[in-house]
Amino acid sequence: MNTTVAPSLGSWPPDRRAASTGTGLWVFMGVATALFSLFILAYAMRMSGGDWSPIAMPWQLWLSTALLVASSALLQRAGAAARGGRWAVARAQLWAGGACALAFVGGQLWVWQILQAAQVMPVGNPAASFFYLLTAMHGLHVIGGLVGWGSTVRGARHAASPAFAWRIALCARYWHFLLAVWGGLFAALVWLTPETVRWICGTG
């Protein structure tokens, strides 16, 4: 009878190469976090300009956010299933998580289309310029994650090993990072106002 042995939790990550890859991902996420923090700081500081004109946020942003939450949750469950040796479940949730991430990118493009149809362009209004910049930067990071996800999917059909489980775990870790970054960007875009910034800075 063919049985599948679950990866040992005591040997996690499974080897030195996997451990170094995980460390490299932490370093990358740290650098990217600093980059996005600077973007949000510049966004807040630019609000004090007299030419700042807030834009109405389309409801589709909430849909995109829900898709990214679902993607992160599905990849987390895929990693847990792989570590438990439930490979068929892990593969199915890996695919579903990637599909939600692709839908997130599509949702963001939909938002851009709606704004441009309303004559909200990347130039002429710094609020609109920052919206396109911030969402584009995040979108590029999502697309980069999808490249890594695609590489994992290509080896998923016949893979059943601790190394494969570790690759899924890294995908999940990166998607949690993308979700956290998007949470900060979404909060800044939707709720941050010039009045709030002046209150925080004590200049109101």
Side-chain angles (χ1 to χ4, degrees), residues 15 18-19 25 29 36-37 76 78 84 92-93 103 112 129 159 175-176 185 187:
D15 53 42
L25 180 59
M29 290 190 301
F36 279 106
S37 298
Q76 176 64 32
Q93 292 181 337
W112 280 21
S129 300
W175 251 256
H176 299 337
L185 293 177

Side-chain angles (χ1 to χ4, degrees), residues 154-168:
R154 281 196 297 272
R157 181 172 299 177
H158 304 295
S161 68
F164 174 61
W166 178 248
R167 292 182 67 180
I168 297 179

Side-chain angles (χ1 to χ4, degrees), residues 1-6 85 87 160:
M1 182 175 64
N2 184 23
T3 59
T4 302
V5 178
W87 303 110

Side-chain angles (χ1 to χ4, degrees), residues 170-192:
L170 291 181
C171 281
R173 181 188 300 176
Y174 185 65
W175 251 256
H176 299 337
F177 161 74
L178 291 174
L179 179 59
V181 170
W182 177 248
L185 293 177
F186 185 76
L189 291 169
V190 174
W191 291 298
L192 193 62

